[in-house]
């Protein structure tokens, strides 16, 4: 049986190196990415079997990057890593197509098991949050306005919430500052918020960052 091909994504280089060393004895680590756009591009190029990705990545967060990847590569297995124990965040990850979900503090002991499980077509959730997650998943999905934003609007919203200026966002997304401003005020109108501070609060509350 061939070894599973793994793509790693995290904005901490030391952590990427540690995960590659941890996994390379059993799996083929085919690439690394340090932000969301780089991950989307690497997934398209490398066609991995499994992607191990941090949720809190710059420019494009792991949830949005994973959602974009699953739209094009439906068979890829996403194993999310996070420092947050919020079951709502885990619930959202599974609704966009996660196969596995781990807390970073338990990743060293659970990552091999998680990858083996998802490669076999099963799901893996860290036992540290399983009970809370089940309760969250059993509740009806609450519709929130962030899901009505376009992919470009979500990118702009995340970057604004990271504290980037409109000029910086324009450079990162290769669009004009005027276009960034247009997206910002469209988002504010759509979400019915009146200031950048409220926009950032919304982004944090709905796990856009």
């Amino acid at each position: 049986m061939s070894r599973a091909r793994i793509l790693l994504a995290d904005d901490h280089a030391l952590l990427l190196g540690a995960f590659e060393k941890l996994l390379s004895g059993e799996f083929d680590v085919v690439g690394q990415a340090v932000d969301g756009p780089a991950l989307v591009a690497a997934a398209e190029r490398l066609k991995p079997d499994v992607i191990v990705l941090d949720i809190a990545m710059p420019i494009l967060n792991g949830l949005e990057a994973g959602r974009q990847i699953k739209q094009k590569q439906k068979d890829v297995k996403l194993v999310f890593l996070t420092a947050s124990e919020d079951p709502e965040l885990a619930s959202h990850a599974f609704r966009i197509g996660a196969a596995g979900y781990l807390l970073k503090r338990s990743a060293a002991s659970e990552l091999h098991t998680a990858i083996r499980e998802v490669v076999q077509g099963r799901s893996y959730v860290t036992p540290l949050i399983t009970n809370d997650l089940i309760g969250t998943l059993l509740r009806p999905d609450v519709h929130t306005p962030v899901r009505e934003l376009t992919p470009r609007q979500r990118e702009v919203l995340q970057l604004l919430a990271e504290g980037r200026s409109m000029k910086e966002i324009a450079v990162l997304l290769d669009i004009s500052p005027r276009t960034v401003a247009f997206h910002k005020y469209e988002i504010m109108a759509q979400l019915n918020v009146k200031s950048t501070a409220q926009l950032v609060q919304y982004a944090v509350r709905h796990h856009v960052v």
Side-chain angles (χ1 to χ4, degrees):
M1 185 175 178
S2 61
R3 287 158 52 111
R5 292 162 45 81
I6 313 295
L7 174 60
L8 303 174
D10 196 290
D11 58 334
H12 294 95
L14 288 176
L15 204 54
L16 282 175
F19 284 149
E20 179 164 7
K21 187 174 181 180
L22 178 70
L23 297 173
S24 58
E26 183 175 349
F27 308 106
D28 288 335
V29 178
V30 296
Q32 299 181 357
V34 295
D35 60 44
L39 170 59
V40 173
E44 177 100 19
R45 184 177 73 255
L46 297 170
K47 301 292 191 293
D49 301 307
V50 179
I51 300 175
V52 178
L53 65 164
D54 184 15
I55 286 180
M57 287 193 295
I59 306 178
L60 188 69
N61 66 69
L63 291 171
E64 177 61 19
R67 189 188 66 80
Q68 291 185 18
I69 291 166
K70 285 293 283 186
Q71 285 182 334
K72 295 181 179 178
Q73 301 177 52
K74 298 191 184 304
D75 292 335
V76 70
K77 309 297 185 184
L78 302 179
V79 177
F80 284 98
L81 297 174
T82 180
S84 171
E85 298 185 26
D86 183 357
E88 292 282 354
L89 193 59
S91 172
H92 186 47
F94 278 95
R95 287 186 172 115
I96 68 165
Y101 193 90
L102 304 177
L103 296 179
K104 283 191 171 183
R105 65 186 173 91
S106 64
S109 60
E110 295 182 50
L111 195 51
H112 276 96
T113 302
I115 293 174
R116 291 186 200 114
E117 287 293 301
V118 304
V119 166
Q120 294 297 319
R122 296 184 287 268
S123 296
Y124 183 89
V125 184
T126 177
L128 297 175
I129 63 166
T130 301
N131 290 338
D132 289 337
L133 175 61
I134 290 171
T136 302
L137 287 172
L138 289 175
R139 292 200 302 270
D141 190 16
V142 179
H143 184 73
T144 58
V146 73
R147 295 180 189 169
E148 297 174 359
L149 300 179
T150 67
R152 176 63 86 197
Q153 286 175 327
R154 283 193 287 264
E155 290 173 350
V156 170
L157 177 56
Q158 176 177 341
L159 290 166
L160 287 168
E162 289 176 2
R164 310 270 189 167
S165 70
M166 286 200 273
K167 286 185 178 179
E168 288 176 320
I169 296 172
V171 171
L172 287 166
L173 300 182
D174 194 24
I175 56 180
S176 72
R178 181 175 293 182
T179 302
V180 175
F182 170 79
H183 284 307
K184 175 183 176 180
Y185 295 114
E186 282 285 303
I187 294 166
M188 290 174 70
Q190 193 166 332
L191 301 180
N192 195 29
V193 299
K194 306 300 182 185
S195 68
T196 301
Q198 289 179 338
L199 202 59
V200 171
Q201 289 172 359
Y202 181 92
V204 172
R205 192 164 63 247
H206 291 278
H207 305 302
V208 176
V209 289

